Amino acid sequence: TNAVEVSIDAPKQFNLTQNYPNPFTPMNGSTDLSFTIPAAAPTTLVIYNQLGETIRTLVAGDLEAGSQTVQWNGKDNNGNEVAAGSYICKLLSGEHSASVKMTVTK
């Protein structure tokens, strides 16, 4: 038999993809936020309103390199459903940062 060696490397690119679905209606479910970090690092994924106020912290801690998907149900840190409108999702990991604009409908 022939031996085949396979090597799977950690991702080399930092990426935050647009949430899906967007726009989304919280009463119909949640929206998915997918991201990739190239190296282990302290990481945060936070939802902000248009005034820059923190609405929801979805990730706060050390993550290993790789891809992740986190769901947001349209609720704030106190468990209250947010108002319809535009929100910013910001990902910070090590020296990298990215953000996407999201729309919540009712």
Side-chain angles (χ1 to χ4, degrees):
T1 64
N2 294 334
V4 176
E5 187 174 316
V6 177
S7 175
I8 300 175
D9 295 327
K12 293 178 177 38
Q13 295 206 0
F14 175 83
N15 185 40
L16 171 62
T17 61
Q18 183 65 52
N19 65 303
Y20 181 82
N22 186 43
F24 86 102
T25 305
M27 72 167 67
N28 293 338
S30 59
T31 189
D32 291 339
L33 294 149
S34 297
F35 60 93
T36 302
I37 57 174
T43 302
T44 58
L45 184 67
V46 180
I47 309 295
Y48 297 94
N49 65 15
Q50 291 295 316
L51 300 174
E53 300 168 328
T54 299
I55 297 299
R56 180 79 183 263
T57 301
L58 298 171
V59 174
D62 294 333
L63 293 183
E64 294 297 321
S67 297
Q68 304 271 337
T69 298
V70 177
Q71 291 186 330
W72 181 43
N73 59 3
K75 294 186 179 179
D76 65 16
N77 281 330
N78 296 319
N80 301 312
E81 195 168 286
V82 301
S86 295
Y87 294 85
I88 302 295
C89 176
K90 186 170 186 178
L91 173 66
L92 294 171
S93 183
E95 61 189 37
H96 303 285
S97 71
S99 60
V100 294
K101 185 175 180 180
M102 306 183 300
T103 302
V104 174
T105 59
K106 295 294 176 175

